[in-house]
Amino acid sequence: MTEQANTPIDWQARAQALRLDGRLLIDGKRWDAADGRCFTKVSPGDGLALPDIARGGAADIDLAVKSARAAFEDGRWRLQSPAQRKAVLIEWSRRVMQAAEELALIETVDMGKPIARSLAADVPGSARTLAWYGEAIDKIYDEVAPTGADSLALITREPLGVVGAIVPWNYPLLMACWKLGPALAAGNSVVLKPSERSPFSAMRLAELALEAGLPPGVLNVVTGYGHEAGEALALHPDVDGIGFTGSTRVGKRMFEYAGQSNLKRMYTELGGKSAVLVFASSDVEKAAAAVAGTLFYNQGESCNAPSRAVVHASVADRFVEALVAQAAHYQPANPLNVKAGMGALVDSVHADSVMRMIERGHAEGARCVAGGHRVLVAESNCYVEPTIFDQVHNRMHIAAEEIFGPVASVISFDTEAEAIAIANDSPYGLQAGVWSNELSQAHRVARALRAGTVHVNQYNDDDITVPFGGVKQSGNGRDKSLHAFDKYTELKTTWLRIDLA
Ligand code: NAD
């Protein structure tokens, strides 16, 4: 930290002084798009224009893939020892923390989340991810199969080769690091395609990697639109695997791209409509605080947001009252204000889509008990109040579809079986929660829920040490933990005959 501990940072002044570079980063150098095209976006917090961003297309992706392939084949990174790769990743993580204020500011200016959160969660979480995979890579042993005395069968993990990482805008740095940490630690080369709605932090992250000693070409960043740069990367015949995080709609396309090209490995982290089950025995007020905290956190733009609160009828009124009281802490404010409980949605197009869903909730007969309005802050129309609908039925659109905004649906139930059926009645299966002070019930229900993660009597706990991912249409494969290496490595068997004579 460069500031005196007791001097508050003037984030507005810092934002005005921020210099952003929207060019591509290929082979260790900054480039304009091959055809010279750019696109622009505004900062959702105040609607002010940000610098031009290179509109990468198929030619730029091809250049980036060639650079990554050359780096992979000549072994400038892959053939470094695990301990050497570890040292680079740890130095990269250190530099990320050194640049924490700058990176946090980029994230907030680019996509609207509160600066205090960017600084306290996104940047340290990203740094920890890089360091954790660096630390892990020289502690993982390969296997020797239990064959017989006359043979030696080695089971080794090999890097995939060239990995494409396509990431969304809601946690731009963190989602990139969830891919880059394990993919690079394992020795792959990577082409990263950040979201067109939040491209700036990825380029700065890649510059810091170069400064930390990652050889040029090992990590390339191509900005651009999904249907141009993203599609070209997913279709590229010389890309060996894709780590994709984004919507279920685009996730389905990813498998088509794999089929249309080279059957590249395809791993997807997709949408969610997570349910939290609140039973009568639970601490209802605590449950409401946890739902508010994780749903309104990041403006509701979290894949695992507990957007369906499924509450026992006997405590539903108490729960709703407590949730409404909690919503007061998350009123939208300029994200550069350190006290902002909630910031701006990523852009006005997304705010329009959240408002359409709120209108739909009204039209379908749900009762809006808090929020429901768009508000103007700092002359930007990207802000939506924390909104709570009560008396929701699970088949209403607001309960069935991912809104990706600060909108809660409260659904009541009478029996445990009914609660489980409601929670599982969704095409998604990312996360779920159970609040119950009856031990057997908590275990029983947790087992019955079809989700990648089930939280019991909390919803916020998380760490790089545990896998993250979903079942059903929330995706396949897992980010985080040692299991993430499964996505970025292939198992190889090498069988040697030993002459016993
Ligand atoms: P999105 O699917 O619109 O875009 C994600 C990325 O894919 C972006 O980089 C985009 O440019 C690219 N893309 C878009 N169309 C493409 C195409 N045709 N071909 C190739 N690439 C394409 O998603 P989004 O709006 O950026 O992110 C929000 C979604 O991400 C939500 O559904 C959310 O639940 C999900 N998400 C999931 C997780 C998880 O871990 N499961 C984490 C964060 C976000």
Side-chain angles (χ1 to χ4, degrees), residues 2 11 42 47 84 103-104 159 191 194 211 217 236 242 265 284 312-313 354 370 372 389 406 420 455:
T2 53
W11 290 106
V42 301
Q84 288 169 317
L103 287 167
V191 177
E211 290 167 21
H236 200 288
I242 296 277
R265 303 290 174 263
V284 172
H312 191 266
V354 172
F389 280 103
I420 293 166
H455 298 278

Side-chain angles (χ1 to χ4, degrees), residues 166-171 175 178-179 193-197 224-232 234 244-251 253-254 257 268-272 301-304 402 404 428 430 468-470 474 479:
I166 303 179
V167 295
W169 48 263
N170 58 337
Y171 295 90
M175 293 302 102
W178 284 8
K179 313 290 183 210
K193 210 300 276 172
S195 169
E196 58 274 28
R197 286 162 139 170
Y225 291 112
H227 65 281
E228 295 176 351
E231 181 171 293
F244 173 82
T245 298
S247 62
T248 295
R249 182 184 63 79
V250 177
R253 304 275 313 260
M254 289 292 143
Y257 295 142
T268 57
E269 299 287 343
L270 308 175
E301 297 162 327
S302 298
C303 51
N304 64 338
E402 184 181 44
F404 222 53
Y428 299 109
L430 190 58
F468 190 105
S474 287
D479 275 339

Side-chain angles (χ1 to χ4, degrees), residues 29-306:
K29 296 187 269 305
R30 305 303 299 263
W31 308 73
D32 292 322
D35 59 11
R37 289 198 297 173
C38 290
F39 67 100
T40 53
K41 69 179 291 285
V42 301
S43 175
D46 56 14
L48 295 178
L50 297 175
D52 287 356
I53 303 145
R55 183 168 165 178
D60 305 288
I61 288 290
D62 194 48
L63 198 65
V65 172
K66 284 199 169 88
S67 163
R69 174 60 61 193
F72 187 76
E73 294 304 332
D74 72 18
R76 70 188 80 156
W77 175 246
R78 166 176 67 96
L79 295 182
Q80 287 193 25
S81 70
Q84 288 169 317
R85 279 184 258 138
K86 163 183 162 174
V88 172
L89 284 167
I90 288 175
E91 175 59 16
W92 187 10
S93 163
R94 199 187 64 76
R95 284 173 185 261
V96 166
M97 283 313 291
Q98 219 172 26
E101 289 173 1
E102 180 196 359
L103 287 167
L105 186 60
I106 295 175
E107 209 75 323
T108 289
V109 164
D110 209 4
M111 60 68 66
K113 69 175 69 193
I115 186 70
R117 305 271 167 73
S118 301
L119 202 53
D122 294 67
V123 176
S126 302
R128 174 156 157 75
T129 301
L130 299 176
W132 195 83
Y133 284 104
E135 283 290 357
I137 197 63
D138 70 346
K139 295 169 189 69
I140 298 172
Y141 291 72
D142 285 325
E143 298 166 35
V144 177
T147 49
D150 63 347
S151 45
L152 178 64
L154 305 174
I155 305 166
T156 52
R157 280 178 184 266
E158 310 239 316
L160 284 186
V162 175
V163 169
I166 303 179
V167 295
W169 48 263
N170 58 337
Y171 295 90
L173 263 185
L174 192 64
M175 293 302 102
C177 288
W178 284 8
K179 313 290 183 210
L180 298 176
L184 291 172
N188 295 285
S189 297
V190 179
V191 177
L192 170 64
K193 210 300 276 172
S195 169
E196 58 274 28
R197 286 162 139 170
S198 62
F200 287 106
S201 59
M203 269 101 67
R204 191 69 192 104
L205 182 69
E207 281 181 342
L208 292 169
L210 286 168
E211 290 167 21
L214 192 75
V218 175
L219 171 58
N220 302 296
V221 184
V222 179
T223 51
Y225 291 112
H227 65 281
E228 295 176 351
E231 181 171 293
L233 183 58
L235 277 172
H236 200 288
D238 204 25
V239 170
D240 300 292
I242 296 277
F244 173 82
T245 298
S247 62
T248 295
R249 182 184 63 79
V250 177
K252 290 182 179 182
R253 304 275 313 260
M254 289 292 143
F255 291 95
E256 293 172 21
Y257 295 142
Q260 285 162 18
S261 56
N262 57 344
L263 269 187
K264 53 178 67 69
R265 303 290 174 263
M266 190 56 75
Y267 297 105
T268 57
E269 299 287 343
L270 308 175
K273 191 74 193 179
S274 300
V276 167
L277 277 50
V278 182
F279 288 92
S281 69
S282 66
D283 186 331
V284 172
E285 282 70 25
K286 257 194 193 164
V291 167
T294 36
L295 175 61
F296 300 139
Y297 183 85
N298 215 46
Q299 305 73 242
E301 297 162 327
S302 298
C303 51
N304 64 338

